[in-house]
């Protein structure tokens, strides 16, 4: 299995490195060997790198999905109550409780959603992939 | 006191359950997850308990956390001493007030210092906090919901810094703390003022609430 794939793979690598058809595609300053680890990607909406507001395309790839802020209505209700009652907390206890309930629900929903996407993603999360590769590493010596 | 707890444990080890009432519950009350936990405890090794927790009725995790936050240079004995003196001072003041009030009003005076501490801490906890979020090159202060632990931590931190810095130099820490706690119990004092200011900032920045993504 690996032997058949290996031959084709070696051919492709030699084609990429050859200088016969103009400049070579690869310029290897490090050895071309597969690592026993996977890169640690987590590019879901997480700050200034991901451009969520600019390209708001609904696509199914994880890095492009935009999450919106949760519990904004509850927060705005709470703040209106505060404004009315001059920030006295005793009079706004109902709004405060509903805000806390909303926050709890949002947190559990996020956890369930992340669990689901990590199980159904079709791919392993990077940490689990790395542990798996470390248990069955590439053979570096013949003995 | 012999230190038995190691500083690094294999993640295989489970946390110890110190409270007595957790073991008195009958089988029927436990849910499926808790039954699994019980079965795990029979198999897996358990970490040693820290010397800060005990199984007595007087052990309070909130108070232990407060003592740890007040502690300086690892001197837990001094921090615990300060806290016990604080509670005693609160009790003295409240009993004094109790004896001075007329007969009808005696029920309204709270004498239990633990109840006063917990209520004062509740009154100091903020509801929303501000986070510095970068958007389009600028940093905005965005109101966010805080977790329970974070709110408790902020309340305790404000209490301690307020007592350490803004009081007269020659008063003892326990006096300063008891004054602050009694003021927070009736929702006065600098700590609840700080909490209200945080709420006001959050309220004025409520337009930026959509900058959150969680």
């Amino acid at each position: 299995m690996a032997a058949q794939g290996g031959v084709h793979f070696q051919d492709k690598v030699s084609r990429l490195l050859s200088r016969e058809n103009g400049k070579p595609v690869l310029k290897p300053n490090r050895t071309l060997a597969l690592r026993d680890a996977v890169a640690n990607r987590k590019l879901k909406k997480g700050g200034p790198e991901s451009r969520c507001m600019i390209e708001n395309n609904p696509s199914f790839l994880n890095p492009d999905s935009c999450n919106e802020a949760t519990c904004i209505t509850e927060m705005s209700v709470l703040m209106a109550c505060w404004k009315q009652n001059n920030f006295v907390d005793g009079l706004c206890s109902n709004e405060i409780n509903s805000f806390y309930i909303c926050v709890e629900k949002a947190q559990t929903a996020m956890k369930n959603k992340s669990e689901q996407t990590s199980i159904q993603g079709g791919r392993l999360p990077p940490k689990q992939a790395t542990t798996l590769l470390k248990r069955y590493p590439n053979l570096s010596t013949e003995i | 006191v012999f230190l038995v707890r190691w500083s690094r444990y294999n993640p295989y080890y489970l946390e110890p359950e110190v409270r007595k009432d957790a073991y008195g519950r009958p089988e029927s009350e436990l849910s499926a997850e808790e039954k699994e936990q019980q079965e795990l405890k029979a198999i897996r090794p358990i970490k040693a308990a820290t010397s800060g927790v005990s199984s007595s009725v007087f052990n309070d995790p909130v108070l232990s956390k407060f003592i740890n936050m007040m502690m300086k240079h690892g001197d837990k004995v001094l921090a615990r001493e300060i806290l016990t003196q604080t509670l005693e001072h609160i009790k003295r003041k409240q009993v004094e007030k109790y004896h001075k009030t007329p007969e009808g009003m005696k029920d309204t005076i709270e004498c239990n210092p633990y109840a006063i501490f917990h209520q004062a801490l509740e009154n100091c906890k903020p509801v929303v906090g501000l986070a510095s979020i970068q958007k389009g090159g600028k940093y905005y202060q965005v109101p966010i919901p805080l977790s329970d632990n974070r709110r408790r931590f902020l309340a305790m931190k404000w209490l301690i810094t307020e007592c350490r810095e803004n009081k007269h130099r020659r008063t003892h820490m326990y006096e300063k703390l008891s004054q602050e706690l009694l003021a927070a119990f009736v929702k006065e004092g600098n700590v609840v003022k700080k909490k209200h200011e945080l709420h006001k900032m959050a309220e004025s920045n409520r337009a930026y609430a959509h900058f959150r993504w969680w």
Side-chain angles (χ1 to χ4, degrees):
Chain A
M1 250 190 341
Q4 297 162 4
V7 164
H8 290 301
F9 191 68
Q10 296 292 342
D11 285 345
K12 185 163 180 184
V13 167
S14 54
R15 249 181 293 139
L16 291 170
L17 287 173
S18 71
R19 293 177 185 230
E20 293 157 10
N21 306 326
K23 276 195 149 183
V25 176
L26 295 178
K27 189 183 85 156
N29 27 13
R30 294 191 282 180
T31 43
L32 296 177
L34 295 171
R35 263 189 327 164
D36 284 332
V38 169
N40 227 344
R41 298 181 66 198
K42 195 204 146 188
L43 201 50
K44 238 182 153 172
K45 177 74 171 177
E49 300 107 31
S50 53
R51 315 159 151 271
C52 226
M53 303 303 276
I54 299 179
E55 344 160 344
N56 214 338
N57 310 321
S59 58
F60 294 110
L61 298 169
N62 271 339
D64 288 340
S65 72
C66 268
N67 298 331
E68 302 107 27
T70 48
C71 296
I72 293 194
T73 45
E74 301 287 328
M75 213 199 297
S76 50
V77 162
L78 177 64
M79 297 201 170
C81 177
W82 273 343
K83 198 79 189 222
Q84 270 185 346
N85 297 336
N86 196 16
F87 295 95
V88 174
D89 272 336
L91 303 167
C92 294
S93 46
N94 290 341
E95 279 85 358
I96 293 180
N97 286 336
S98 55
F99 182 61
Y100 287 156
I101 293 169
C102 175
V103 165
E104 281 283 333
K105 271 198 252 177
Q107 273 181 348
T108 43
M110 272 261 282
K111 248 207 302 194
N112 290 341
K113 199 173 143 196
S114 70
E115 245 178 86
Q116 265 190 357
T117 44
S118 75
I119 288 172
Q120 287 172 6
R123 304 169 153 205
L124 273 184
K127 288 214 167 115
Q128 293 183 9
T130 329
T131 36
L132 187 63
L133 285 174
K134 279 208 154 33
R135 281 162 70 184
Y136 302 100
N138 287 323
L139 304 168
S140 51
T141 46
E142 281 181 12
I143 313 174
Chain B
V1 176
F2 293 108
L3 298 171
V4 188
R5 181 150 174 139
W6 309 336
S7 48
R8 300 176 70 177
Y9 277 101
N10 191 335
Y12 205 60
Y13 280 64
L14 306 169
E15 291 287 336
E17 175 63 64
V18 198
R19 299 171 299 152
K20 250 188 186 170
D21 41 2
Y23 293 108
R25 295 164 72 186
E27 280 262 338
S28 47
E29 268 191 29
L30 309 173
S31 65
E33 299 163 340
E34 284 170 354
K35 283 194 178 133
E36 276 177 36
Q37 285 282 325
Q38 299 281 42
E39 266 148 50
L40 257 192
K41 283 196 175 182
I43 300 170
R44 294 248 186 122
I46 303 185
K47 300 186 196 178
T50 37
S51 45
V53 301
S54 72
S55 56
S56 80
V57 285
F58 302 112
N59 179 41
D60 191 355
V62 178
L63 283 177
S64 311
K65 191 61 89 176
F66 193 72
I67 290 172
N68 287 340
M69 283 183 70
M70 259 206 307
M71 172 165 67
K72 274 190 173 182
H73 310 294
D75 198 350
K76 179 104 97 173
V77 176
L78 183 62
R80 215 182 128 122
E81 193 58 41
I82 291 174
L83 189 72
T84 33
Q85 281 172 348
T86 312
L87 295 171
E88 190 191 325
H89 196 73
I90 292 175
K91 179 89 184 195
R92 275 182 198 274
K93 280 196 181 164
Q94 290 296 92
V95 168
E96 219 184 286
K97 260 180 27 186
Y98 181 83
H99 286 305
K100 282 188 190 159
T101 53
E103 282 299 326
M105 303 276 286
K106 286 208 171 179
D107 288 337
T108 52
I109 307 279
E110 175 67 55
C111 276
N112 184 3
Y114 295 97
I116 292 183
F117 182 86
H118 286 115
Q119 185 56 44
L121 202 70
E122 273 296 322
N123 292 349
C124 291
K125 284 186 187 176
V127 179
V128 289
L130 292 174
S132 190
I133 292 186
Q134 193 191 29
K135 191 103 184 175
K138 267 172 64 167
Y139 285 90
Y140 298 96
Q141 297 288 328
V142 175
I144 57 166
L146 296 171
S147 72
D148 247 343
N149 282 340
R150 177 80 185 153
R151 285 168 37 228
R152 189 183 66 174
F153 168 77
L154 279 175
M156 290 192 199
K157 182 96 183 169
W158 288 343
L159 266 177
I160 294 175
T161 32
E162 161 68 35
C163 286
R164 279 180 184 164
E165 288 162 17
N166 292 354
K167 301 279 190 181
H168 186 84
R169 180 181 69 90
R170 299 244 339 183
T171 42
H172 291 280
M173 182 70 178
Y174 70 84
E175 285 172 29
K176 301 188 252 192
L177 249 186
S178 58
Q179 283 168 15
E180 268 310 315
L181 284 171
L182 286 170
F185 185 63
V186 280
K187 301 199 183 166
E188 296 160 359
N190 283 347
V191 192
V192 284
K193 200 171 93 168
K194 187 157 178 177
K195 176 185 91 152
H196 285 322
E197 276 171 17
L198 182 65
H199 284 175
K200 281 178 197 164
M201 276 285 288
E203 207 268 323
S204 65
N205 283 7
R206 66 182 186 272
Y208 300 138
H210 287 273
F211 287 178
R212 258 197 306 149
W213 59 85
W214 70 94

